[in-house]
Amino acid sequence: MKAKELQCRNINLDNQNTKICIPVMGSTMEEIIMQAEKVKTLEPDIVEWRADYYIMKDCDDALELVTVLEKIHEVLADIPLIFTYRTADEGGEQHIDFEHYADYCTAAAKEAEKNNTAFIDIELYGKKDEVKSSELVTEIHNYNVKIIGSNHHFDKTPSEDEMINILSVMEELGADVCKLAVMPEEKEDVDALISASKTADKKLKAPIITISMGELGAVTRVCTKLTGSVLTFAAGANVSAPGQPACDTVRRLLAIGKGCEIDCNIALIGFMGTGKTTISKALSRITGFEEIDVDHYIVEKAGMEISGIFEKYGEEYFRKLETDALRELQNGAGRIISCGGGAVLKDENVQILKERGVIVLLTASPETIFDRVKNHTHRPILNNDMSLSHVKSLMNNREPRYQEVADIKVNVDSNDRVLTCYEMLNKLEERGDLKVSGESS
């Protein structure tokens, strides 16, 4: 990843040290000041004021917004600001015409130096008039303030080529930083966003900010070494977009992502539906450690699905393949090994995993498990009995064994993969297994 830097006011954005931004979103002056005071205690690198949440007394008086900016600056002091008036077309609170939108952004830009406003967010793609947008960009640049060109898709993830094009067009229109936020519908959408980000970061001169929203895409807010994002957004008093983790969580995971070492393997165990594959992938993106799903490893070597192995050769044969796979995967350190639900029922497997690894148990309630697996058709162990009572029975049989062999236990009922990774990594560091060398920004 080639290094990129952009300096404005007292903040330097670069893709080697992702900065943290927290939004302020009050609807009244009192709410805004209260939120700003709370946000200040969280020590973000920069604060975004979402002016579209503020209920103006006179929509034709852009200076009213400047007055609010002045009050926010008084509270934040040296912490720089992003002024954002998000329109309803892109997930904002207000329907306004372009003339009012331009007036608000220009008024904020005119007083940018006085109020320590480093960036004005301008929606630069989609239905906006590109000529008018370009003129607005030129005018704002006249006031010595930088522009974050932004585009948001709350209903989908565009194709990889389209995402690269969106970022490129915003740079062509004069954006100093190009921001794209999309909503994933499936895990492949998150992969597409990461891939598009890598390409765009190489192609564009401007720094980028890319986000896959919601819980499904939340890991992109903390694995910025993969996307090249110079800025990520965390929750403060409020959440401005789906999937924003808490500031402390983001700061810690960015530090871990910047540099960490582990001298063993991490073996994830737990009942089916606890999300071992999902968590191992998220953990890999955050840490850079290799991620291996044991069931997928067996399928690849055997050339048939797990259900086919059970049907043709029986469970005993599958368990032998599983033991062989676990032994092969212990050749080295720094791997995240996602184990099948029955792997640790066998003493030999536990011994293999503990020789060069830490066993991490993911736990969840029977109700959570049932809700996650009730529509699955690839779980041989269910034996066509897809009921909560059967799930409870199976869990009661296995849970004592899981608890017995686990070195670390993390509950996953929240269905929050970023928080799960945060808790797990903290516990690994407390044990001395994980060493963090990266410093938070």
Side-chain angles (χ1 to χ4, degrees), residues 9-10 46-47 49 62-83 106-120 143 145:
R9 305 287 178 251
N10 55 334
I46 192 166
V47 170
W49 178 37
L63 292 180
E64 184 180 343
L65 298 177
V66 176
T67 300
V68 180
L69 271 173
E70 291 173 356
K71 297 298 183 182
I72 297 173
H73 172 51
E74 287 177 10
V75 173
L76 298 178
D78 293 335
I79 301 175
L81 279 161
I82 300 171
F83 174 84
T106 302
K110 286 180 180 178
E111 301 297 326
E113 188 166 359
K114 175 183 175 183
N115 296 321
N116 200 24
T117 302
F119 298 95
I120 307 291
Y143 298 107
V145 63

Side-chain angles (χ1 to χ4, degrees), residues 158-208:
S159 70
E160 189 171 330
D161 287 343
E162 186 178 352
M163 287 189 281
I164 295 168
N165 181 63
I166 290 169
L167 292 164
S168 300
V169 168
M170 289 193 289
E171 181 180 53
E172 291 168 5
L173 290 172
D176 301 291
V177 181
C178 302
K179 176 192 173 190
L180 175 63
V182 301
M183 183 63 75
E185 296 179 325
E186 51 191 8
K187 61 184 180 180
E188 287 77 13
D189 290 337
V190 181
D191 295 337
L193 182 279
I194 292 173
S195 180
S197 301
K198 290 178 179 178
T199 302
D201 194 42
K202 292 177 182 177
K203 179 181 178 182
L204 275 60
K205 292 181 179 179
I208 65 170

Side-chain angles (χ1 to χ4, degrees), residues 30-266:
E30 291 73 20
E31 285 183 0
I32 289 168
I33 297 306
M34 182 176 65
Q35 289 184 22
E37 289 171 344
K38 178 179 179 179
V39 165
K40 185 179 181 180
T41 66
L42 300 175
E43 300 181 343
D45 298 295
I46 192 166
V47 170
E48 178 186 43
W49 178 37
R50 282 288 302 273
D52 52 297
Y53 277 85
Y54 175 65
I55 300 174
M56 299 176 68
K57 296 179 177 65
D58 181 358
C59 293
D60 292 322
D61 184 11
L63 292 180
E64 184 180 343
L65 298 177
V66 176
T67 300
V68 180
L69 271 173
E70 291 173 356
K71 297 298 183 182
I72 297 173
H73 172 51
E74 287 177 10
V75 173
L76 298 178
D78 293 335
I79 301 175
L81 279 161
I82 300 171
F83 174 84
T84 299
Y85 198 102
R86 184 72 63 234
T87 67
D89 288 343
E90 297 210 15
E93 294 297 296
Q94 307 296 332
H95 290 274
I96 61 171
D97 57 37
F98 187 83
E99 285 66 30
H100 280 90
Y101 178 77
D103 286 346
Y104 298 164
C105 294
T106 302
K110 286 180 180 178
E111 301 297 326
E113 188 166 359
K114 175 183 175 183
N115 296 321
N116 200 24
T117 302
F119 298 95
I120 307 291
D121 182 298
I122 303 293
E123 296 167 5
L124 278 182
Y125 189 88
K127 297 178 182 178
K128 303 293 183 298
D129 185 315
E130 287 191 3
V131 174
K132 289 183 178 180
S133 296
S134 183
E135 291 173 351
L136 177 59
V137 167
T138 299
E139 183 170 7
I140 287 175
H141 275 150
N142 288 335
Y143 298 107
N144 189 31
V145 63
K146 302 297 184 183
I147 290 171
I148 297 177
S150 65
N151 182 236
H152 303 76
H153 298 259
F154 283 85
D155 60 343
K156 66 174 183 178
T157 295
S159 70
E160 189 171 330
D161 287 343
E162 186 178 352
M163 287 189 281
I164 295 168
N165 181 63
I166 290 169
L167 292 164
S168 300
V169 168
M170 289 193 289
E171 181 180 53
E172 291 168 5
L173 290 172
D176 301 291
V177 181
C178 302
K179 176 192 173 190
L180 175 63
V182 301
M183 183 63 75
E185 296 179 325
E186 51 191 8
K187 61 184 180 180
E188 287 77 13
D189 290 337
V190 181
D191 295 337
L193 182 279
I194 292 173
S195 180
S197 301
K198 290 178 179 178
T199 302
D201 194 42
K202 292 177 182 177
K203 179 181 178 182
L204 275 60
K205 292 181 179 179
I208 65 170
I209 303 167
T210 56
I211 302 162
S212 186
M213 295 183 284
E215 197 283 325
L216 181 57
V219 72
T220 62
R221 297 179 182 274
V222 292
C223 68
T224 54
K225 64 182 180 183
L226 292 181
T227 63
S229 290
V230 296
L231 191 68
T232 191
F233 292 78
N238 296 89
V239 174
S240 64
Q244 281 181 359
C247 183
D248 288 347
T249 301
V250 172
R251 181 176 286 115
R252 186 66 186 144
L253 293 180
L254 287 177
I256 290 171
K258 189 177 177 183
C260 64
E261 297 177 357
I262 194 165
D263 58 4
C264 61
N265 293 317
I266 303 169

